[in-house]
Amino acid sequence: MEKSVRPAVLQAISSIRERYFEPITLADLASEVFVSRFHFSRMFADATGVTPGRFLAAVRLFEAKRLLLTTSLNVSDIVCSVGYSSVGTFTSRFSNAVGLTPTQYREPQVAELLVAISPNLQRLPPLRTLRAAGHNCASLQPGTGTLAMDLGLPEGSAPADTLVGLFADPVPQCGPVAFSGMAEMRSGELTIPGAPAGRWTAIAVAQHRPGSAGPRFSIGYSTVQVAPSGRSTARIELRAPAQTDAPIAITLASKQSPYTQRMLASQRPHLRSAA
């Protein structure tokens, strides 16, 4: 997959990952790869699915989450380490995106229920931990639809503990509106009950059993439409993580962010009229 991505995009992604703590601008990235800002933005979005600014923000928030969970640095030190100049601005943006304050993010359950995919950190919580937490622990409120996901795991890969979540944002920072998981899964169907009606980004993550020639982790994305009732269907083809994937670190213990609440409200007219 990465062989088909323009070298300019991969170079820009490398710069973002290496210099995310600096005040990088779109003009800076475009000039590094010798193309116009407009052409660079379009090229980058075609390759990654998001704008350069969204990708940079995802890298910064990922690193902030990593530091909150793995170090004892105070929040002001972390703010400086990830490229923000104001603690207040960082705290506001973090809380709005994640649904938890930076301090709340250090609660033990956040780390226990963390799903992380990046070049240097790949993690899926044990499915027994998810079951103990409750199937809808990350949901704002359960929906009435059922989504049957047809999952295609990479060819030659070993069986995998697999998790599929539905998100309001293609680069999620908070927990899914619905999710389901299965241990030792091969290609096949995984059902997500209690899915809210609407259009969502489905993200599948699989942690494969060691000892095969295939990837240790695989990931897949798909835009899905869930009907208000009955059974909806969709398919995701999983693959090894790529450099063009924006990093993901979400906890299934998180509350819904204001953004997800607005998405849910906009997709349920009866809720808007009752508000």
Side-chain angles (χ1 to χ4, degrees):
M1 175 175 152
E2 290 179 2
K3 291 180 181 178
S4 65
V5 177
R6 297 192 181 191
V9 174
L10 295 177
Q11 182 180 333
I13 290 173
S14 179
S15 291
I16 289 173
R17 293 190 188 277
E18 291 173 2
R19 299 167 43 216
Y20 62 86
F21 47 84
E22 297 179 8
I24 306 173
T25 66
L26 174 61
D28 294 334
L29 292 171
S31 65
E32 283 185 18
V33 296
F34 304 104
V35 296
S36 70
R37 285 183 292 177
F38 174 78
H39 184 57
F40 171 71
S41 293
R42 184 174 61 183
M43 213 170 35
F44 194 97
D46 286 345
T48 66
V50 297
T51 65
R54 288 290 302 278
F55 198 99
L56 173 60
V59 171
R60 284 174 169 168
L61 279 174
F62 183 93
E63 291 301 322
K65 292 174 178 178
R66 183 183 64 80
L67 292 172
L68 286 167
L69 293 176
T70 63
T71 75
S72 59
L73 291 172
N74 59 45
V75 173
S76 61
D77 289 336
I78 291 174
V79 168
C80 295
S81 298
V82 299
Y84 287 90
S85 57
S86 164
V87 174
T89 298
F90 169 79
T91 300
S92 176
R93 290 182 181 176
F94 187 96
S95 301
N96 285 335
V98 179
L100 297 168
T101 67
T103 300
Q104 290 171 331
Y105 205 81
R106 284 180 148 156
E107 292 293 325
Q109 192 184 35
V110 170
E112 290 171 5
L113 296 175
L114 185 72
V115 178
I117 292 290
S118 80
N120 301 318
L121 178 61
Q122 299 174 345
R123 182 183 187 278
L124 184 67
L127 293 185
R128 63 180 182 276
T129 303
L130 298 181
R131 286 193 290 269
H135 180 77
N136 288 315
C137 65
S139 298
L140 178 64
Q141 64 181 68
T144 55
T146 298
L147 180 63
M149 293 296 310
D150 182 19
L151 302 181
L153 273 63
E155 186 176 352
S157 63
D161 288 350
T162 306
L163 181 71
V164 182
L166 303 183
F167 298 89
D169 194 314
V171 186
Q173 300 297 342
C174 63
V177 297
F179 69 92
S180 187
M182 182 181 295
E184 295 292 300
M185 185 177 182
R186 297 183 182 273
S187 295
E189 186 174 284
L190 180 63
T191 300
I192 305 177
R199 191 175 179 85
W200 307 102
T201 295
I203 301 179
V205 181
Q207 180 172 291
H208 297 269
R209 222 168 41 196
S212 73
R216 184 74 177 88
F217 268 81
S218 58
I219 187 168
Y221 301 81
S222 180
T223 300
V224 302
Q225 187 73 37
V226 179
S229 60
R231 186 175 184 268
S232 303
T233 60
R235 178 169 175 80
I236 294 182
E237 291 286 346
L238 282 78
R239 54 167 173 76
Q243 287 294 321
T244 50
D245 294 325
I248 295 173
I250 60 102
T251 177
L252 299 175
S254 66
K255 301 174 184 177
Q256 296 297 337
S257 72
Y259 175 77
T260 301
Q261 294 181 32
R262 290 195 298 272
M263 284 284 292
L264 284 165
S266 69
Q267 293 174 358
R268 294 197 184 90
H270 65 282
L271 290 184
R272 291 204 302 271
S273 64

